[in-house]
Amino acid sequence: MTDTAGLQSGDQVRCRYAGTDLAGTFITRRDGYAVVKLESGYNIGIPEDAITATAAASAAAPVMPPVPQNPDLPSVAIISTGGTIASRIDYRTGAVTSQFSADDILRAIPGLTGIASFRSRQLATILSENMQPALWQELARAIHAEIRSGAGGVIVTHGTDTMSYSAAAVSFMLETPVPVVFVGSQRSADRPSSDNVMNGMCAAQAAISDLGEVCVVMHASTSDDRCAIHRGTRVRKMHTSRRDAFASIGMAPLGTVAYPSLDVTLSPGAVRRGTTEPALHDALDDRVGMVTFYPGMDPAVIDGFAGYQGLVVSGTGLGHVSAGCIRQLAALVRDGTAVVMTSQCLNGRVCDRVYDTGRDLLAAGVIEGEDMLPEVAMTKLMWVLGRTDDPDEVRDLMRTSLRGELGRCSAHGL
Amino acid sequence: MDYKAIGLKAGIEIHQQLDTREKLFCHCPTVLRDVLDRNGEFFRYLRATESELGEIDRAAEEEMKQVRQFAYYAYDTTCLVENDEEPPAPLNPEAMEICLTLAKMTGATPVPSVHVMRKLVIDGSNTSGFQRTALVALGGSVPAGARIETLCLEEEAAQRVEGDVFSLDRLGIPLVEITTAPDMRTPEQVREVAAYIGMLLRSTGRVKRGLGTIRQDINISIAGGARVEIKGVQELDLIDEVVRREVARQQHLIAIRDELRARGAAIHAVYFDVTGLFAATKSAILKKAPLILALRLIGFAGLVGREIQPGRRLGSEMADYAKKCGVGGIFHTDELPAYGVTAEEVEAVREACHADPGDCVVLVAASRKKAECAAQQVVRRALLALDGVPEETRKMLEEGNTAYMRPLPGAARMYPETDVLPVAVPQAYWDGLFVPELLSSKAERFAAEYGFDDQLSRQLAFSEQCVLFERAVADGIRPMLASRTLLATIRELKRDGVAVERLTDAMILQVLARVEDGGLAKEAVPDVLRAVAGGKDLETAAEEIAPPIAVDDLAVLVRRIVAEREDFVKSRGMGSLGPLMGVVMKEVRGRVDGKVIADLLKREIAAML
């Protein structure tokens, strides 16, 4: 019996198990076993009393030299928030965690330094489900600061789960003359097939392109052939795991970046570089909720949003909820909550003038969210309520396109 | 050759596909498809990544010398997991059970908590860029004379269609990998151990059969040589030849090393641009090459061209290394003038790089990037020649030769598969695992219980039909009838072009059961099976081919035939039984069992005599 309580990850050990005597490296404790990496590279979980420490872990990890850059190339800022594009295995727990610095991204995607000269800022290292509106605000401020100090483009690395929320929130808070490109990856960076290299290269090329708005750049198909450039207020993650999970809803993508040529093609409707001056409007009212209606929903669920400044409803079809829910929504509106109706169809426009239910919703004071995506309507409502609490002004702003988030006409052929 | 004296040490890794219902990490079936049935195609690039300890594997780095685009074919029997577009499902418990059963059969000990790893493989055969693999058990042995070091469960790679195009149907089929210690000392012993393990695998009755479903990798070294891993030996009969040729190769490389050292050989790592010398050459390859680099290997003359395996030289090894950069091969002065290169051109090249007669000059022709990469690879291989035998992973060529594939991979190629949770192997589960009868024991039992001779017993026990045979016997079918039908009749029908694959186990059992019930003569079995394979139901087939014949009718028939041949019967006595059997059988065309006829005939003949 050996005292293994003091074992550290990386310590050299001997395993006496199953009549064998094998050298290995102690990795961690898991499920009641000691996890040991054998010389063959295999990890096995065996009883702790089968291992003996032979040597301490070698000293700290080697210090990586800074990545050399070409100052003659366009200046691009990378702001990292975490996510799979910047993930690495934590071999203590065996889980994939976000812990890359922006500099590590340059190291992981060597081709980047041939596209632009990068400066990097690490805002957070979180998985995007842990994102908060306060962090959206910090992000908008950081991007604004980078643009003000001369960045010709900004790349934001972000987890894909809530990337579209952040892209929409930043779209409203920021007026930008340069591309602000959100990018992530669907398959972790530690695998040879990760989409992080191609997405990162395409994002960098988009960041030095003629674009002048907030966008998301991700795989356009399952092949490594091109990335799509999506408007930040029109994009949605539409698949849990595929590389081409991101799709523009209600409009065609702003453009594409071909791979590996990195040729950028922009649609005529894409806002061009230099169209506006940089400006920051970073007030948000985060007392805004979102609820998805379902058949049989207990109207009391809606009571839970009492006291909220705003509520986005994801209704059925053209934008409907049950009669019982309408009464609760009417009560919310009476008490000063701005209620915006969107559709769980995602595609198409809300129209509450066709059926009685819709007309009752309008009579209750619910605002039609036009063809906005529910999440976009929610971030927009936070931003609008951060500017004004005048109900008429809120209604007008919610139904006006501020950053291309809604269209006057529903395009055909998509 | 005295292999013990030269210090031969060999071990094998056997990879066997398991016949599970679903793949190892997804719920797709484990079926192979025709590429023409594909319903999707996509392409990807792969690149080497660091292990969790921050290192890049040297074998993976070697594959990275060229940027390659890999294309994949998908089917209606593959899913997003094979496409590397969805996280893996939990490890298939059926595959785990088979692997643990094999562990128990070899006396190995299971790992109590099995961790799935990713083994970096970026030759395109895995969409993810890694192969998932888990060490399941340690420390067993086989009576053929080898310790079993490990039993692993792995996912099969995608099948290469051609070039960099792969088919995803095979990707993810479970494989068990059995690795022996380097305990074998002669080529024949390697083959024996491989054969024994093959028998062990088939004894489970749960492994795939047929070409490509089992592959052997062989690890070989000799004293003064180095460990070399030879991948993908498919035919058991070639194993000993592969070992013999690898031993010869290592011996030649050691001899070359000794001679190089004696000559004071060295490598001049400066390349000379000799493109201009070949402006008017008759060599098609050199003429169209954008750049030709020459490399002087001091003291190598005659040795680069020395044969180390039948038809393969040290130069072939250098060419293997150079090919990693995308060039087609190399030229060296040991084989020149030839291939359209003249003696004058050789002389000019020698002069350009100040080569002495004792030197060998190597030429590489390609674009600048490829040529420089290839020249560096030749230098690398030449330096290794000064050390003797390099540690390598090699691939099988025809007839037992091998070619360089990549350096031996290290531990850096393995890192945890974080999307799959560790799998516990509880003691009670292990204790309860059923250990199947070995096919060799089964053969002995067949001989003892059914009176089969040794050859038939063995043939039956090792055949794919064995499971069905045992089911038939358990259902009350006579062993000889079952074995003859399964081993002989079906094969003969197949040879006649009958679609025997349409015969389900249940159909065959029904036909045999009908024989045992007396509803069909065993002589009619081939024709009935033929009709059933052709789409007829058993009832119709039996009625058409062999309508039952009443005992009374048969007696009348036999009596008539005997009466018609009275003279013959009287002159031959009981000796007329055989010829008369033939006559009756022809008349009843398999509608009656021969034994019944013989009994009747005997009675009639005896009555007449």
Side-chain angles (χ1 to χ4, degrees):
Chain A
M1 188 78 178
T2 315
D3 175 24
T4 53
L7 275 177
Q8 301 284 321
S9 293
D11 284 354
Q12 299 303 302
V13 294
R14 293 211 71 82
C15 316
R16 288 190 179 79
Y17 186 75
T20 60
D21 185 0
L22 300 165
T25 307
F26 175 76
I27 300 290
T28 187
R29 291 179 180 82
R30 194 166 177 189
D31 303 340
Y33 294 102
V35 180
V36 174
K37 189 179 185 71
L38 301 178
E39 281 179 332
S40 61
Y42 279 100
N43 289 7
I44 55 172
I46 54 172
E48 283 208 23
D49 59 11
I51 66 173
T52 321
T54 53
S58 52
V63 182
M64 294 289 189
V67 181
Q69 299 220 45
N70 178 356
D72 298 335
L73 291 172
S75 164
V76 168
I78 299 183
I79 299 175
S80 90
T81 67
T84 299
I85 193 169
S87 62
R88 190 175 253 182
I89 289 172
D90 179 344
Y91 66 90
R92 226 171 15 81
T93 61
V96 178
T97 55
S98 295
Q99 48 181 280
F100 265 20
S101 69
D103 214 40
D104 287 333
I105 294 170
L106 293 185
R107 214 169 276 121
I109 311 176
L112 284 178
T113 51
I115 298 174
S117 166
F118 294 93
R119 50 185 199 245
S120 58
R121 185 194 282 229
Q122 193 169 347
L123 201 67
T125 51
I126 56 168
L127 292 171
S128 73
E129 51 272 33
N130 297 323
M131 189 52 83
Q132 299 284 339
L135 207 46
W136 294 339
Q137 291 172 299
E138 268 186 59
L139 183 56
R141 287 174 204 133
I143 296 169
H144 182 250
E146 291 292 348
I147 297 170
R148 292 300 287 246
S149 59
V154 177
I155 294 174
V156 180
T157 65
H158 199 292
T160 55
D161 275 16
T162 68
M163 184 191 284
S164 64
Y165 289 80
S166 298
V170 167
S171 296
F172 293 115
M173 287 186 277
L174 189 72
E175 289 176 50
T176 177
V178 304
V180 174
V181 183
F182 281 75
V183 67
S185 75
Q186 284 282 83
R187 313 301 292 148
S188 60
D190 55 65
R191 58 177 65 214
S193 60
S194 173
D195 50 341
N196 73 333
V197 169
M198 176 175 139
N199 291 350
M201 295 289 283
C202 292
Q205 200 67 37
I208 61 166
S209 74
D210 196 32
L211 191 71
E213 56 177 309
V214 177
C215 65
V216 165
V217 171
M218 293 286 288
H219 261 66
S221 81
T222 191
S223 286
D224 290 344
D225 53 357
R226 63 190 194 286
C227 277
I229 307 174
H230 304 282
R231 175 164 285 162
T233 54
R234 287 285 205 168
V235 66
R236 197 165 195 280
K237 186 175 185 180
M238 297 296 284
H239 197 279
T240 58
S241 58
R242 278 179 63 136
R243 287 165 172 73
D244 56 354
F246 282 79
S248 288
I249 307 287
M251 69 178 287
L254 296 174
T256 56
V257 186
Y259 189 83
S261 71
L262 300 181
D263 291 332
V264 177
T265 311
L266 294 179
S267 72
V271 179
R272 295 311 205 258
R273 183 182 283 274
T275 305
T276 179
E277 287 299 312
L280 181 69
H281 316 282
D282 61 355
L284 288 181
D285 188 332
D286 65 4
R287 291 169 299 168
V288 172
M290 182 157 65
V291 64
T292 300
F293 170 75
Y294 50 89
M297 182 164 122
D298 182 351
V301 170
I302 290 173
D303 294 342
F305 292 97
Y308 274 56
Q309 294 302 106
L311 176 66
V312 172
V313 180
S314 184
T316 56
L318 286 164
H320 299 139
V321 296
S322 63
C325 288
I326 294 176
R327 280 189 294 278
Q328 305 306 112
L329 290 175
L332 277 187
V333 173
R334 265 198 312 277
D335 292 346
T337 304
V339 176
V340 177
M341 180 60 69
T342 60
S343 173
Q344 28 190 280
C345 295
L346 305 176
N347 287 285
R349 189 177 301 274
V350 164
C351 183
D352 280 321
R353 282 144 289 143
V354 179
Y355 295 101
D356 282 348
T357 310
R359 288 189 280 266
D360 292 346
L361 280 163
L362 290 179
V366 170
I367 305 164
E368 289 175 296
E370 300 292 337
D371 59 345
M372 274 187 291
L373 287 165
E375 312 85 67
V376 173
M378 191 201 72
T379 54
K380 181 177 179 181
L381 190 52
M382 285 186 181
W383 184 80
V384 167
L385 291 170
R387 278 175 75 105
T388 177
D389 49 15
D390 175 65
D392 292 331
E393 211 178 330
V394 169
R395 176 179 302 269
D396 283 349
L397 284 171
M398 286 308 292
R399 302 191 57 190
T400 306
S401 170
L402 305 175
R403 300 285 187 267
E405 73 280 11
L406 60 86
R408 299 287 291 167
C409 302
S410 305
H412 61 83
L414 291 175
Chain B
M1 184 174 299
D2 185 349
Y3 286 100
K4 285 183 182 127
I6 61 164
L8 172 63
K9 281 188 192 174
I12 43 179
E13 272 175 35
I14 295 201
H15 302 86
Q16 166 74 59
Q17 289 179 6
L18 303 183
D19 196 17
T20 51
R21 209 166 59 77
E22 296 180 348
K23 287 184 172 176
L24 192 52
F25 291 108
C26 73
H27 304 299
C28 288
T30 59
V31 295
L32 296 184
R33 303 295 302 274
D34 189 318
V35 291
L36 295 174
D37 292 337
R38 65 185 183 271
N39 65 357
E41 273 184 60
F42 60 94
F43 66 85
R44 300 269 170 72
Y45 301 93
L46 295 175
R47 69 196 201 297
T49 49
E50 294 175 354
S51 78
E52 82 268 38
L53 301 174
E55 297 158 24
I56 289 192
D57 175 56
R58 59 182 179 173
E61 230 173 352
E62 180 94 351
E63 296 286 355
M64 286 273 287
K65 289 195 186 295
Q66 293 178 72
V67 177
R68 286 156 71 189
Q69 191 192 71
F70 302 107
Y72 299 97
Y73 292 166
Y75 301 86
D76 57 7
T77 50
T78 63
C79 73
L80 289 185
V81 173
E82 286 96 329
N83 287 16
D84 187 44
E85 289 275 43
E86 184 175 300
L91 189 137
N92 179 346
E94 187 188 4
M96 188 65 158
E97 188 197 328
I98 301 172
C99 187
L100 285 169
T101 300
L102 282 158
K104 207 165 175 177
M105 290 166 82
T106 61
T109 307
V111 171
S113 174
V114 174
H115 287 243
V116 178
M117 306 297 291
R118 297 169 173 176
K119 190 195 289 181
L120 218 55
V121 180
I122 55 166
D123 62 3
S125 63
N126 290 71
T127 44
S128 55
F130 51 74
Q131 177 187 32
R132 295 186 184 92
T133 175
L135 203 171
V136 172
L138 291 160
S141 64
V142 290
R147 287 169 295 153
I148 302 293
E149 282 183 344
T150 56
L151 288 102
C152 295
L153 203 48
E154 304 194 323
E155 55 181 355
E156 176 68 286
Q159 173 90 48
R160 191 186 296 272
V161 178
E162 59 176 343
D164 287 334
V165 180
F166 293 86
S167 181
L168 295 180
D169 49 345
R170 202 181 72 178
L171 179 63
I173 292 178
L175 288 177
V176 66
E177 183 203 67
I178 299 182
T179 305
T180 75
D183 287 345
M184 283 144 270
R185 298 287 177 266
T186 66
E188 294 72 25
Q189 199 190 358
V190 177
R191 191 168 75 169
E192 269 166 44
V193 170
Y196 185 87
I197 295 176
M199 185 275 291
L200 208 63
L201 288 161
R202 291 200 298 280
S203 296
T204 62
R206 297 166 79 182
V207 299
K208 294 217 183 262
R209 310 282 290 251
L211 194 69
T213 57
I214 185 164
R215 295 190 298 274
Q216 286 95 3
D217 295 350
I218 313 174
N219 284 297
I220 306 171
S221 66
I222 61 171
R227 190 165 84 85
V228 161
E229 182 178 318
I230 297 167
K231 291 274 220 219
V233 184
Q234 292 203 14
E235 303 99 298
L236 195 59
D237 292 342
L238 260 182
I239 287 185
D240 43 344
E241 181 61 17
V242 170
V243 176
R244 277 192 284 274
R245 290 196 186 193
E246 177 58 23
V247 167
R249 194 185 71 93
Q250 297 207 6
Q251 288 181 313
H252 285 301
L253 288 176
I254 292 168
I256 288 173
R257 175 200 63 195
D258 294 343
E259 191 160 346
L260 286 171
R261 285 182 181 172
R263 292 182 189 180
I267 287 96
H268 201 194
V270 179
Y271 327 128
F272 299 90
D273 181 346
V274 295
T275 320
L277 301 181
F278 292 92
T281 185
K282 290 201 170 59
S283 157
I285 295 168
L286 293 177
K287 196 172 178 77
K288 64 171 193 229
L291 179 72
I292 305 171
L293 294 179
L295 190 67
R296 177 183 167 211
L297 305 178
I298 299 162
F300 274 70
L303 296 178
V304 177
R306 180 178 288 182
E307 200 170 73
I308 56 175
Q309 276 184 335
R312 283 186 57 89
R313 293 144 217 293
L314 177 58
S316 322
E317 303 281 315
M318 292 175 175
D320 292 341
Y321 275 65
K323 284 175 189 169
K324 292 288 159 192
C325 305
V327 303
I330 60 169
F331 292 96
H332 56 82
T333 51
D334 281 1
E335 58 175 4
L336 298 176
Y339 313 117
V341 179
T342 63
E344 292 71 32
E345 285 166 340
V346 173
E347 212 33 62
V349 165
R350 285 189 163 280
E351 210 165 289
C353 34
H354 318 292
D356 292 328
D359 301 344
C360 178
V361 177
V362 173
L363 298 174
V364 289
S367 66
R368 175 164 296 276
K369 200 173 160 202
K370 283 185 184 176
E372 284 178 354
C373 171
Q376 280 167 22
Q377 286 285 87
V378 171
V379 168
R380 230 181 97 203
R381 184 62 189 85
L383 284 168
L384 290 169
L386 296 177
D387 292 334
V389 186
E391 286 195 339
E392 289 169 342
T393 303
R394 300 178 65 81
K395 65 180 172 205
M396 260 285 284
L397 300 175
E398 274 154 36
E399 291 167 3
N401 275 353
T402 58
Y404 168 75
M405 237 173 127
R406 51 178 180 247
L408 275 187
R413 76 193 294 218
M414 295 269 233
Y415 62 108
E417 169 51 274
T418 49
D419 298 341
V420 178
L421 296 176
V423 182
V425 182
Q427 189 63 41
Y429 174 82
W430 171 257
D431 291 341
L433 270 179
F434 170 74
V435 175
E437 183 183 23
L438 287 183
L439 296 184
S440 50
S441 316
K442 214 180 267 277
E444 286 165 21
R445 181 165 61 81
F446 289 167
E449 285 183 10
Y450 309 137
F452 293 171
D453 65 32
D454 286 351
Q455 196 196 338
L456 175 61
S457 301
R458 232 184 123 70
Q459 190 193 356
L460 189 59
F462 281 75
S463 81
E464 288 183 56
Q465 307 285 4
C466 185
V467 176
L468 186 53
F469 168 79
E470 294 199 275
R471 236 177 92 191
V473 172
D475 284 359
I477 315 284
R478 277 166 295 164
M480 192 45 97
L481 172 63
S483 87
R484 188 187 304 135
T485 306
L486 295 173
L487 290 183
T489 309
I490 301 230
R491 185 177 304 169
E492 284 155 16
L493 288 175
K494 188 176 181 187
R495 203 165 45 215
D496 291 349
V498 175
V500 292
E501 65 280 357
R502 290 217 197 125
L503 292 170
T504 63
D505 291 357
M507 289 174 185
I508 296 172
L509 289 177
Q510 276 169 22
V511 171
L512 295 179
R514 201 180 172 94
V515 173
E516 295 300 358
D517 294 348
L520 192 70
K522 62 176 185 296
E523 288 75 10
V525 167
D527 286 336
V528 170
L529 284 174
R530 183 192 299 267
V532 171
K536 287 220 165 75
D537 68 83
L538 173 58
E539 212 54 51
T540 318
E543 195 62 42
E544 282 178 15
I545 292 158
I549 187 162
V551 179
D552 291 350
D553 294 345
L554 182 65
V556 169
L557 177 76
V558 169
R559 200 168 301 134
R560 173 171 61 78
I561 287 174
V562 172
E564 281 169 7
R565 292 163 180 75
E566 190 172 347
D567 294 347
F568 177 69
V569 171
K570 286 196 163 145
S571 69
R572 298 282 290 271
M574 265 304 164
S576 64
L577 178 63
L580 288 187
M581 269 299 284
V583 179
V584 180
M585 292 295 275
K586 203 172 164 197
E587 291 264 336
V588 301
R589 285 199 342 270
R591 286 180 287 172
V592 186
D593 194 290
K595 192 166 174 301
V596 175
I597 299 171
D599 288 347
L600 270 173
L601 263 176
K602 269 186 217 160
R603 213 179 308 146
E604 288 300 325
I605 294 169
M608 179 170 280
L609 293 176

